[in-house]
Amino acid sequence: MSDKIFDVDHVTLRFGGVVSLNDVTLHQERGEILAVIGPNGAGKTSLFNSLTGVYQPQEGTITFQGSDAKPMSVIGKKPHRVSAAGVARTFQASRMFSALTAFENIKIGAESHRGIGVAGAMLRGPKTRRDERTSDARTVELLDFVGLRAKANVISSSLSYGDRRRLEIARGLATGPQVLLLDEPAAGTNPSEKLELTTLIRKVRDEMGVSILLIEHDMKLVMSLAERLYVLNFGSVIAQGTPEEIRANEKVIEAYLGSTATETGDRS
Amino acid sequence: MKRIFASAHVKRLFSALAALAILELMTGPPGSALTPTAGFTGSFGEASSFFGIFRTQRWVVFLFLALAMYAIWSAWLMWGTQVRAATAKAVSVPRAASRTRPVRWGMAVAVLAVALLLPHLITDPFWQAAMVEQIAVYVLLALGLNVVVGFAGLLDLGFVAFYAIGAYTTAWVTGALPTAAPFGIHFNNFYAIPIAIALAMGSGIILGAPTLRLRGDYLAIVTLGFGEIITIFANNLYGITGGSQGTNTIPHFSLHVGPIKYLWGLTPVPYYYLTIVFVILFIAGFKLLEHSRVGRAWTAIREDEVAAESVGINPLKYKVMAFAIGASTAGFAGVVTASQSNTIFPSSFTLQFSINILVLVIFGGMGSITGVVLGAIVIQTGSMYLLHTPPAGYQPQDLYIYLGALLVVMMIFRPAGLVPSRRRHREIGLAEKGEGHMNEVLTGDTP
């Protein structure tokens, strides 16, 4: 009996006449590092947006199964509800709260799932103070975890690309997720940052037990990190398997990797 | 010839002349068909007035002013960077000191002491009344609108509606309206405070819950409509609100506890203290709110709603909350105004009023509590001064020309306001560099 954290069943997403996801069926095992690859416009980000409640697919079902909770149907839920259930994400072009410090960015994630208390906030009662302390401690922990402790009070817009990526991961982790969705985490980073990022992502899974779902263009990173891959093309899943199987798959070579297939994983 | 006009010096000189010519027309006597050039050819006041020394034709004075402006401008371009660096260096130590906790508390206590002593220092009845009706109440309103516009980044053009709800609730609770007071009892004004706050907050939630899904311009239009609806209701529901004549029988605040009997309203001073107490409470509450989880969530939504949702913030809930808090502040301000003046009528609750409050917030610095309080005090005091002691040639309707000009100048030189909020200041800086995902409150936001 497999333990599926995400179960996407025959999902179709349309925008007017444009079919963005076409009868997509895939699943992620708990604790797995799963990657979704595919050329530009294949529907990868649409898939992420459907998994997090930003888009509402017209057909099919998406089931998220947290470790102890009842399975939740994602379609029809608002993004903040999906986040509360245990799904965190990062964005393709990193979306920080750019006028806030690294610390504040993470803290917003750490405290977002507690009940709001305007009265508590205005009076600053003991519960509010205790909550603040808990969030502060959690934030510092995460800053350490991603290696940004020294930059805690830097305004996030003045961080480097690599640091922003790590900050975004920390902000997502702060919400206490079961699964972390990473949308092209390596975009715009340099080779040494890429290496650090690979280590960090693996650390997130190994030390925090958070499953990872990854979209990435950088083949070297995907092939070294992912345990299983799905390949999307024109909104449909055209292949799935281990990195070795994908490398050898004729359809993938034709659709996605094209003539540079031989270079994949070795020199790209 | 072409080369002469291309010269930066000539451009500057002509700009200075044009700016002062506009100012000359703005401040000039009202024009008429017979004397279309009165703004230029008129003379300055009487020999006994301040401008007596310039008892000459206006254009001569303005020509000198234009030349002075040109000279200062040129000097600033030449030495401005040095001057700026020197001042920055000079103020860096006091500025750093002003951020430490004891200094901040000391300053707050000093400001508080001045505020408490003020009615004894200023005994002119006009100013005593103005301090309550035109300054303290407007400070409250600006504080409330700042939560909506400054903290949550929502453009509300119907703020007057909640103020009207507060005022009419006071009249209703105290039995001053044609409609019966609740349970047939004419309550003391103090009971109107919680009821007005609750009603204003409730109407804020009722208006906010469906409309805050809208963004930017759309929200502004819906709130504008709501402001109009409330005014029209007040005007047309004759049997309930007293129609266009409103009511003038609202009692003053009064206190009857055992042997203590106290009636507000003999002079404006007791009202001043009553309002100041609430201003302090609101400032303290909003300061804590700004630096709490709620304040951070508002900032997150303002900067990037999609990212905020992805970390589990429900934007609608927080926006409705901001709306309700702003509304209840306005509702309270309505109670004070209605009780203090004993009178309300629909024509005082206009769109113009909402815009005035918005001007105070923008001028003072959106999102900065110190800024909006200072902004409200500066603008309202200035307006009252012009009303009380108008300079020669000043007409009451000229006020908006000056306010408009002031805002234009502010937007050019200090777009984040008089005392900018640090977060807002950064956002504007980032937006100018084309970075960040700022929800531009005043120009509509990006979807």
Side-chain angles (χ1 to χ4, degrees):
Chain A
M1 178 67 197
S2 67
D3 184 11
K4 292 176 185 172
I5 189 158
F6 258 128
D7 195 357
V8 177
D9 193 26
H10 296 289
V11 162
T12 298
L13 172 72
R14 291 187 210 92
F15 293 103
V18 181
V19 180
S20 184
L21 293 175
N22 184 15
D23 198 27
V24 170
T25 298
L26 50 83
H27 73 269
Q28 178 173 21
E29 300 288 328
R30 188 176 310 283
E32 189 179 33
I33 298 182
L34 181 71
V36 176
I37 61 171
N40 284 329
K44 303 184 298 294
T45 299
S46 294
L47 176 67
F48 263 33
N49 283 337
S50 303
L51 290 177
T52 50
V54 178
Y55 292 162
Q56 311 294 338
Q58 286 83 358
E59 289 165 32
T61 58
I62 299 174
T63 315
F64 170 72
Q65 168 71 67
S67 57
D68 46 0
K70 289 188 304 191
M72 181 185 88
S73 167
V74 172
I75 298 176
K77 295 276 191 305
K78 294 266 184 199
H80 62 91
R81 296 282 305 279
V82 179
S83 162
V87 181
R89 76 175 292 185
T90 67
F91 293 89
Q92 198 168 349
S94 71
R95 303 182 80 143
M96 308 311 313
F97 304 126
S98 33
L100 298 180
T101 61
F103 185 91
E104 289 170 313
N105 263 281
I106 299 177
K107 196 172 172 187
I108 286 174
E111 63 196 3
S112 63
H113 293 314
R114 295 219 187 84
I116 325 173
V118 182
M122 285 174 94
L123 299 172
R124 217 174 156 74
K127 186 182 175 299
T128 314
R129 275 187 240 177
R130 204 166 50 236
D131 283 353
E132 291 267 333
R133 274 201 299 275
T134 319
S135 317
D136 284 350
R138 179 82 185 127
T139 305
V140 172
E141 234 169 73
L142 282 164
L143 279 166
D144 276 335
F145 185 79
V146 298
L148 284 176
R149 179 76 177 265
K151 292 172 181 162
N153 292 319
V154 176
I155 304 301
S156 62
S157 55
S158 38
L159 290 172
S160 73
Y161 261 111
D163 286 347
R164 282 190 217 183
R165 294 292 179 189
R166 286 191 283 165
L167 179 54
E168 231 186 329
I169 290 173
R171 187 179 68 185
L173 289 174
T175 63
Q178 311 255 334
V179 58
L180 181 61
L181 276 59
L182 302 169
D183 197 344
E184 298 198 18
T189 56
N190 63 38
S192 77
E193 285 173 334
K194 243 166 229 170
L195 204 66
E196 286 171 20
L197 209 59
T198 316
T199 323
L200 175 63
I201 293 171
R202 204 168 274 135
K203 205 169 95 175
V204 168
R205 199 268 309 262
D206 294 344
E207 291 180 16
M208 296 199 156
V210 175
S211 316
I212 304 282
L213 179 53
L214 178 78
I215 294 177
E216 188 48 72
H217 272 305
D218 187 278
M219 276 306 138
K220 199 172 162 194
L221 191 140
V222 171
M223 292 300 178
S224 69
L225 202 53
E227 290 152 354
R228 208 156 59 85
L229 293 96
Y230 284 95
V231 184
L232 280 182
N233 196 19
F234 295 115
S236 306
V237 175
I238 57 167
Q240 64 150 314
T242 61
E244 290 70 36
E245 288 165 0
I246 295 297
R247 263 199 208 110
N249 189 308
E250 291 288 324
K251 255 167 137 182
V252 177
I253 293 166
E254 190 188 327
Y256 178 63
L257 303 173
S259 58
T260 59
T262 47
E263 293 172 24
T264 337
D266 304 324
R267 275 179 287 152
S268 70
Chain B
M1 197 64 189
K2 210 172 177 183
R3 205 187 297 156
I4 295 174
F5 279 106
S7 145
H9 277 279
V10 177
K11 274 186 194 161
R12 236 174 282 148
L13 184 59
F14 272 87
S15 309
L17 284 171
L20 266 297
I22 292 170
L23 193 65
E24 196 173 358
L25 284 176
M26 269 168 62
T27 57
S32 77
L34 293 173
T35 55
T37 56
F40 298 112
T41 57
S43 67
F44 270 111
E46 295 303 310
S48 58
S49 82
F50 170 74
F51 291 107
I53 47 167
F54 299 119
R55 195 147 182 272
T56 176
Q57 291 216 307
R58 291 168 55 87
W59 67 267
V60 179
V61 176
F62 278 94
L63 189 63
F64 273 111
L65 288 176
L67 291 175
M69 179 175 159
Y70 162 76
I72 293 170
W73 192 351
S74 300
W76 180 253
L77 285 179
M78 228 181 280
W79 299 300
T81 27
Q82 283 101 306
V83 174
R84 207 176 271 198
T87 38
K89 207 173 169 189
V91 300
S92 67
V93 175
R95 177 171 285 179
S98 78
R99 294 216 172 115
T100 61
R101 194 164 273 200
V103 175
R104 293 180 78 104
W105 277 103
M107 269 158 57
V109 170
V111 169
L112 186 61
V114 171
L116 292 180
L117 286 175
L118 212 53
H120 304 286
L121 303 175
I122 298 168
T123 47
D124 181 328
F126 171 85
W127 281 106
Q128 288 205 336
M131 267 157 47
V132 183
E133 291 166 39
Q134 298 293 332
I135 299 174
V137 168
Y138 278 68
V139 166
L140 268 179
L141 287 162
L143 279 170
L145 188 59
N146 181 48
V147 173
V148 184
V149 177
F151 289 172
L154 307 163
L155 184 50
D156 183 356
L157 289 180
F159 201 58
V160 68
F162 306 114
Y163 178 63
I165 287 170
Y168 273 95
T169 306
T170 315
W172 172 54
V173 170
T174 56
L177 287 185
T179 182
F183 315 114
I185 305 165
H186 291 192
F187 285 99
N188 184 299
N189 300 43
F190 278 108
Y191 292 98
I193 295 176
I195 301 174
I197 287 180
L199 279 181
M201 190 182 269
S203 48
I205 292 169
I206 290 169
L207 174 69
T211 58
L212 288 172
R213 290 160 211 273
L214 303 171
R215 291 181 179 200
D217 314 347
Y218 304 103
L219 178 68
I221 289 166
V222 172
T223 52
L224 191 139
F226 184 66
E228 291 301 299
I229 288 170
I230 293 291
T231 314
I232 290 170
F233 269 14
N235 213 353
N236 292 357
L237 298 178
Y238 187 81
I240 299 172
T241 63
S244 59
Q245 278 151 19
T247 171
N248 58 5
T249 55
I250 302 168
H252 281 291
F253 275 101
S254 56
L255 199 64
H256 304 277
V257 183
I260 308 165
K261 281 201 167 70
Y262 190 76
L263 180 70
W264 270 257
L266 299 171
T267 74
V269 178
Y271 271 104
Y272 176 79
Y273 285 117
L274 182 78
T275 320
I276 284 293
V277 166
F278 279 93
V279 167
I280 292 165
L281 287 178
F282 276 107
I283 289 177
F286 291 166
K287 269 262 188 243
L288 287 170
L289 204 55
E290 184 190 4
H291 297 288
S292 75
R293 208 150 57 69
V294 180
R296 278 187 292 273
W298 280 331
T299 312
I301 294 167
R302 204 172 64 207
E303 289 202 18
D304 191 331
E305 200 168 323
V306 176
E309 276 187 289
S310 86
V311 295
I313 293 169
N314 180 355
L316 185 64
K317 194 154 85 177
Y318 282 92
K319 286 180 182 178
V320 171
M321 201 190 294
F323 226 63
I325 292 170
S328 52
T329 317
F332 173 73
V335 178
V336 175
T337 311
S339 309
Q340 203 259 341
S341 64
N342 310 121
T343 318
I344 46 172
F345 39 91
S347 59
S348 49
F349 305 110
T350 54
L351 172 62
Q352 180 72 62
F353 188 92
S354 301
I355 292 175
N356 275 355
I357 309 299
L358 190 61
V359 167
L360 304 181
V361 173
I362 293 169
F363 176 82
M366 283 186 286
S368 156
I369 290 174
T370 322
V372 296
V373 171
L374 207 62
I377 293 174
V378 168
I379 289 199
Q380 288 304 108
T381 311
S383 315
M384 284 301 105
Y385 177 79
L386 287 176
L387 188 75
H388 190 49
T389 42
Y394 173 81
Q395 314 272 316
Q397 64 268 32
D398 290 354
L399 178 64
Y400 294 105
I401 300 184
Y402 294 115
L403 277 184
L406 185 66
L407 270 192
V408 170
V409 173
M410 278 293 287
M411 287 301 111
I412 295 171
F413 294 105
R414 230 180 145 76
L418 201 59
V419 184
S421 112
R422 257 184 270 172
R423 280 177 192 165
R424 275 280 188 179
H425 198 57
R426 276 182 223 143
E427 279 170 37
I428 289 176
L430 290 170
E432 277 175 358
K433 278 191 279 172
E435 282 179 42
H437 310 270
M438 179 191 175
N439 276 0
E440 256 287 18
V441 160
L442 295 170
T443 58
D445 55 6
T446 46

